[in-house]
C-alpha cells in the first residue's frame, strides 16, 4: 500500500468511526497541557509533515523549530518527542515508573510475542526474571569471558573468508560478512552450533527474515491507531510478522527439543544448557516457551544492529583516510604479529574505541526510543496524558550542534577527552537508558571492537568498482535500527 493510499484509508476509517461514536467524545473534561508542536490536519495529524522512511531526521528538523519537547500527531495519536539530553534524562529516570513501558507496534503482537518479550512486555515479575537471566546467565562478565574463545574462532573464519576474496580481488559485502560472523558468534555462544556459512542460503535466509521483521516493525500501520483497527489487522502486518517469527522460532525450537531429549546433558556447557537448568528449578518464572521468545528478541535486536555498526565504522574510516591510518597505526602498535585480539585488549585501544563511539553517535543502532505513558506524567511543566506515545530522538541528539561541534563530521577525536562519554547526560545514549537499557550492550561492545580491529589489522581496504572515498553513499535507511542505504562493498587488498 503506497503512502497516499495509507493516508486516505486512515482518514476514511477515522471519519466513519468519528461519525458513529461522536456522542461519546463530547465530555467536558479538561485536556492535559501538551508541549507545542506543528499545526496538524484533521484526522491525519502531522503525517504529511513526517517522512516515515527518514523519521529521526524528519523529527529533528521539526524540533529545531518547535523546541526540544514537542507534540506531533500521527493520525489521531498524540506523540511527544524529546530531543534534549536533559529532558531525556528527566523522562527516562525521574518519570521512570510512568514511562517504563515500551510502545508496542501491533505487528509485534503476532504469536502473542509481546507477552513474553523482554523488549516489549511491561515491567513485572516475569520481566524482572528475563532481565535477571540476561544479566547472570547470558551477558555477565564471567560468561562473556568464558565464551570469547568461540568468538575468536568465528573471527578466524572471517579472516579466511576475506583471504579468498583478497586473492581473487573481489569486493566484499561488508554487511553480509559481518552479519554472518555475528550470527555464528551468537549461535555458538547460545547453542554451540553454526547457523550459517559465508555467502550461503542459510545466511541470506536469516538476514532476509531479520530485515523483514525490522521493516515491518517500523512501517506505518493503521492498527497502531486504536484497538478497533487492531482487531482486523487491515494491512496484514501481524500476519506477515507471524510468518517471520515462525521461521526463526522453528530453528530455536528444534535445537531446544534436541537438547531436551539428550539423556546426559552437559550442564552449563553453553547458554541454552544454563537456561534449561534454570527453568527446571522449582518456582522458576520462565518456561521453555519463554526461552523461545527470549532468543527471538536477542537475535532480532542483536544481529542487524551489531553488524551495521561495524559496517558504518568501516565506511566512516574509508571515507576519512587520515582517521583510518591513525586507527591502523594504533592496532599495529598494540597487537602482536599474529593479530590475536582478546577482549581485554580493547582497553588498550583508545582511538579504536573513539571510532566506535563516533560511529554510534552518528548512526545510533536505536535512533528512536519509543515509550508509552501508563499514567499522566509531568515533564518540564507540561502534562502528558495516559497512553501518550513518547519518542526520545537519539539520532537528533547525536546531530545537535548545541551539544557537538561540527555534528555531521566524523571526528573520533572528540571522544579522547579522558572521560567516559557513554553517558546520556551529554547527549550520547545509543543503547537507551534507565531500566530499559539494552541488556546486550556488553556482548555488542566486545563483538564490534574485536571485529572492526580484525578487519583493519589483517587487511588494507579499497572501495569496489573504483569508487572514490569522497563520493561514498552514506545514506541512512531507517527500519527501527539505522542501516546503510547502499551496502558497503570493499576489497581486502593485502595482509
Amino acid at each position: 500500500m503506497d503512502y497516499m493510499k495509507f493516508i486516505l484509508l486512515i482518514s476514511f476509517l477515522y471519519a466513519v468511526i468519528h461519525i458513529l461514536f461522536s456522542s461519546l467524545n463530547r465530555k467536558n473534561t479538561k485536556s492535559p497541557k501538551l508541549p507545542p508542536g506543528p499545526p496538524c490536519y484533521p484526522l491525519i495529524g502531522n503525517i504529511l509533515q513526517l517522512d516515515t522512511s527518514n523519521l529521526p531526521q524528519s523529527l529533528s528538523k521539526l524540533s529545531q523549530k518547535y523546541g526540544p519537547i514537542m507534540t506531533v500527531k500521527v493520525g489521531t495519536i498524540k506523540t511527544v518527542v524529546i530531543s534534549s539530553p536533559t529532558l531525556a534524562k528527566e523522562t527516562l529516570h525521574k518519570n521512570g515508573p510512568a514511562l517504563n513501558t515500551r510502545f508496542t507496534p501491533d505487528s509485534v503482537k503476532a504469536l502473542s510475542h509481546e507477552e513474553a518479550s523482554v523488549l516489549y512486555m511491561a515491567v513485572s515479575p516475569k520481566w524482572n526474571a528475563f532481565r535477571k537471566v540476561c544479566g547472570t546467565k547470558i551477558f555477565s562478565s564471567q560468561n562473556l569471558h568464558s565464551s570469547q574463545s568461540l568468538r575468536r574462532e568465528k573471527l578466524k573464519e572471517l579472516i579466511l573468508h576475506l583471504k579468498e576474496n583478497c586473492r581473487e580481488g573481489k569486493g566484499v559485502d561488508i554487511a553480509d560478512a559481518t552479519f554472518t560472523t555475528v550470527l555464528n558468534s551468537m549461535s555458538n555462544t547460545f547453542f554451540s552450533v553454526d547457523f550459517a556459512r559465508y555467502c550461503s542460503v542459510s545466511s541470506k535466509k536469516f538476514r532476509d527474515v531479520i530485515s523483514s521483521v525490522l521493516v515491518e516493525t517500523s512501517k506505518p500501520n493503521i492498527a497502531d491507531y486504536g484497538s478497533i483497527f487492531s482487531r482486523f489487522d487491515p494491512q496484514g502486518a501481524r500476519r506477515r510478522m507471524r510468518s517471520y517469527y515462525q521461521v526463526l522460532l522453528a530453528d530455536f525450537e528444534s535445537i531446544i527439543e534436541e537438547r531436551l531429549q539428550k539423556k546426559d546433558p552437559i550442564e552449563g556447557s553453553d547458554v541454552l544448557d544454563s537456561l534449561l537448568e534454570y527453568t527446571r528449578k522449582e518456582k522458576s518464572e520462565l518456561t521453555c516457551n519463554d526461552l523461545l521468545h527470549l532468543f527471538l528478541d536477542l537475535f532480532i535486536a542483536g544481529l542487524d544492529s551489531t553488524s551495521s555498526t561495524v559496517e558504518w565504522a568501516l565506511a566512516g574510516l574509508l571515507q576519512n583516510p587520515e582517521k583510518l591510518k591513525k586507527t591502523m597505526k594504533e592496532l599495529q602498535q598494540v597487537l602482536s604479529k599474529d593479530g590475536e585480539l582478546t577482549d581485554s585488549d580493547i582497553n588498550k585501544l583508545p582511538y579504536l574505541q573513539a571510532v566506535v563511539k563516533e560511529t554510534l553517535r552518528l548512526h545510533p543502532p536505536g535512533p528512536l526510543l519509543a515509550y508509552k505513558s501508563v499514567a499522566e506524567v509531568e515533564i518540564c511543566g507540561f502534562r502528558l496524558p495516559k497512553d501518550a506515545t513518547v519518542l526520545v530522538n537519539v539520532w537528533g541528539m547525536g546531530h545537535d550542534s548545541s551539544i557537538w561541534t561540527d555534528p555531521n563530521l566524523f571526528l573520533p577525536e572528540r571522544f579522547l577527552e579522558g572521560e567516559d562519554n557513554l553517558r546520556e547526560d551529554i547527549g550520547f545514549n545509543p543503547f537507551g537508558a534507565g531500566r530499559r537499557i539494552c541488556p546486550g550492550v556488553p556482548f555488542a561492545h566486545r563483538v564490534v571492537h574485536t571485529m572492526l580491529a580484525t578487519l583493519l589489522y589483517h587487511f588494507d581496504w579499497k572501495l569496489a568498482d573504483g569508487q572514490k572515498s569522497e563520493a561514498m553513499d552514506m545514506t541512512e535507511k531507517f527500519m527501527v535500527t539505522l542501516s546503510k542505504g547502499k551496502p558497503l562493498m570493499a576489497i581486502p587488498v593485502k595482509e
Side-chain angles (χ1 to χ4, degrees):
M1 180 180 295
D2 62 37
Y3 196 55
M4 288 308 299
K5 286 181 180 178
F6 170 72
I7 293 172
L8 291 172
L9 182 57
I10 290 176
S11 302
F12 173 74
L13 290 174
Y14 181 78
V16 171
I17 293 171
H18 181 74
I19 292 170
L20 291 174
F21 299 100
S22 58
S23 61
L24 300 177
N25 297 321
R26 292 174 182 171
K27 297 178 181 179
N28 295 319
T29 55
K30 188 176 180 180
S31 299
K33 181 185 177 184
L34 289 168
C40 60
Y41 295 97
L43 308 181
I44 63 173
N46 298 107
I47 285 178
L48 295 178
Q49 297 155 280
L50 299 174
D51 180 0
T52 55
S53 66
N54 211 6
L55 191 55
Q57 294 90 325
S58 183
L59 291 171
S60 185
K61 288 179 182 178
L62 286 175
S63 69
Q64 291 172 13
K65 182 176 182 179
Y66 294 100
I69 178 170
M70 65 177 182
T71 302
V72 297
K73 290 182 72 176
V74 183
T76 62
I77 302 299
K78 296 180 178 68
T79 301
V80 175
V81 182
I82 308 291
S83 302
S84 156
T86 302
L87 294 179
K89 186 176 182 180
E90 179 180 348
T91 300
L92 299 178
H93 291 278
K94 181 181 176 181
N95 297 292
L99 293 170
N100 266 334
T101 299
R102 282 287 183 92
F103 168 75
T104 306
D106 187 75
S107 58
V108 169
K109 298 175 183 178
L111 300 179
S112 301
H113 177 57
E114 83 285 3
E115 297 177 6
S117 168
V118 68
L119 299 180
Y120 292 105
M121 68 188 302
V123 173
S124 62
K126 189 171 185 177
W127 182 83
N128 288 330
F130 273 121
R131 295 289 299 196
K132 179 181 177 181
V133 299
C134 285
T136 61
K137 306 292 184 181
I138 304 177
F139 300 122
S140 69
S141 297
Q142 181 181 354
N143 289 341
L144 291 174
H145 178 74
S146 63
S147 63
Q148 70 172 317
S149 60
L150 291 173
R151 298 193 298 275
R152 285 206 300 268
E153 191 62 34
K154 299 305 113 182
L155 290 176
K156 290 178 182 177
E157 292 173 6
L158 173 62
I159 293 170
L160 291 176
H161 170 66
L162 296 176
K163 282 183 176 179
E164 293 178 9
N165 287 270
C166 181
R167 285 192 294 267
E168 299 174 10
K170 290 173 57 178
V172 176
D173 184 330
I174 300 300
D176 183 69
T178 54
F179 184 92
T180 302
T181 306
V182 178
L183 174 60
N184 285 338
S185 295
M186 291 181 68
S187 65
N188 271 274
T189 301
F190 295 169
F191 310 127
S192 302
V193 296
D194 279 342
F195 269 8
R197 290 178 290 106
Y198 291 100
C199 303
S200 66
V201 173
S202 53
S203 179
K204 185 178 186 304
K205 180 198 78 171
F206 261 91
R207 194 176 176 198
D208 287 348
V209 171
I210 296 294
S211 178
S212 296
V213 168
L214 297 175
V215 168
E216 206 64 64
T217 305
S218 63
K219 275 184 181 177
N221 186 359
I222 299 170
D224 289 326
Y225 297 160
S227 59
I228 190 169
F229 299 131
S230 178
R231 294 172 191 170
F232 303 106
D233 189 25
Q235 291 175 250
R238 210 180 322 125
R239 183 182 67 254
R240 290 190 295 274
M241 190 73 93
R242 184 185 303 115
S243 66
Y244 304 144
Y245 283 171
Q246 286 171 337
V247 171
L248 299 174
L249 289 172
D251 288 331
F252 303 148
E253 191 169 14
S254 64
I255 292 173
I256 291 177
E257 285 296 322
E258 182 181 349
R259 193 68 60 89
L260 289 172
Q261 290 173 10
K262 284 188 176 181
K263 293 182 179 180
D264 300 309
I266 302 173
E267 298 293 344
S269 62
D270 58 20
V271 167
L272 179 57
D273 280 332
S274 180
L275 293 182
L276 288 176
E277 181 184 3
Y278 180 84
T279 61
R280 293 187 189 106
K281 291 182 178 178
E282 291 185 13
K283 298 182 180 179
S284 173
E285 302 92 337
L286 304 180
T287 65
C288 283
N289 184 66
D290 292 328
L291 298 187
L292 286 172
H293 287 271
L294 175 60
F295 291 136
L296 188 63
D297 273 343
L298 296 178
F299 276 82
I300 290 173
L303 282 170
D304 183 82
S305 59
T306 305
S307 57
S308 289
T309 299
V310 176
E311 182 188 25
W312 278 119
L314 185 57
L317 290 171
L318 290 176
Q319 195 179 43
N320 296 270
E322 73 285 359
K323 314 297 182 188
L324 176 61
K325 289 179 182 178
K326 289 180 70 172
T327 310
M328 296 179 74
K329 182 179 179 181
E330 181 183 69
L331 289 169
Q332 291 164 0
Q333 291 174 342
V334 172
L335 301 185
S336 59
K337 289 184 179 180
D338 62 3
E340 187 81 8
L341 179 68
T342 64
D343 293 348
S344 60
D345 290 326
I346 296 173
N347 293 329
K348 304 173 187 176
L349 300 164
Y351 195 78
L352 180 75
Q353 292 184 69
V355 166
V356 172
K357 290 176 181 178
E358 180 70 341
T359 300
L360 293 170
R361 180 188 70 83
L362 284 167
H363 314 286
L368 293 174
L369 305 178
Y371 302 88
K372 183 178 180 180
S373 58
V374 297
E376 190 173 288
V377 60
E378 182 174 339
I379 300 176
C380 198
F382 300 105
R383 295 201 68 81
L384 281 59
K386 180 183 177 182
D387 294 329
T389 299
V390 178
L391 289 179
V392 178
N393 192 349
V394 178
W395 186 95
M397 290 188 285
H399 291 75
D400 189 339
S401 59
S402 68
I403 303 172
W404 310 96
T405 304
D406 298 319
N408 295 320
L409 296 183
F410 184 79
L411 297 172
E413 288 77 9
R414 72 174 87 240
F415 286 104
L416 294 176
E417 302 300 324
E419 60 176 300
D420 182 9
N421 289 289
L422 275 170
R423 302 177 303 165
E424 64 270 11
D425 59 329
I426 60 165
F428 191 66
N429 52 354
F431 302 105
R435 298 186 73 183
R436 287 288 184 175
I437 192 168
C438 174
V441 171
F443 178 84
H445 176 80
R446 287 163 171 79
V447 171
V448 168
H449 287 87
T450 54
M451 194 184 310
L452 182 60
T454 297
L455 294 174
L456 297 175
Y457 183 84
H458 291 277
F459 301 95
D460 291 329
W461 293 88
K462 68 178 182 180
L463 295 173
D465 302 322
Q467 187 180 3
K468 302 297 182 182
S469 60
E470 58 270 18
M472 188 186 304
D473 187 342
M474 298 291 278
T475 305
E476 295 171 324
K477 179 182 178 182
F478 172 65
M479 51 178 193
V480 180
T481 57
L482 208 58
S483 299
K484 199 169 180 299
K486 185 176 181 180
L488 174 62
M489 297 296 296
I491 303 172
V493 294
K494 70 173 184 177
E495 293 187 43

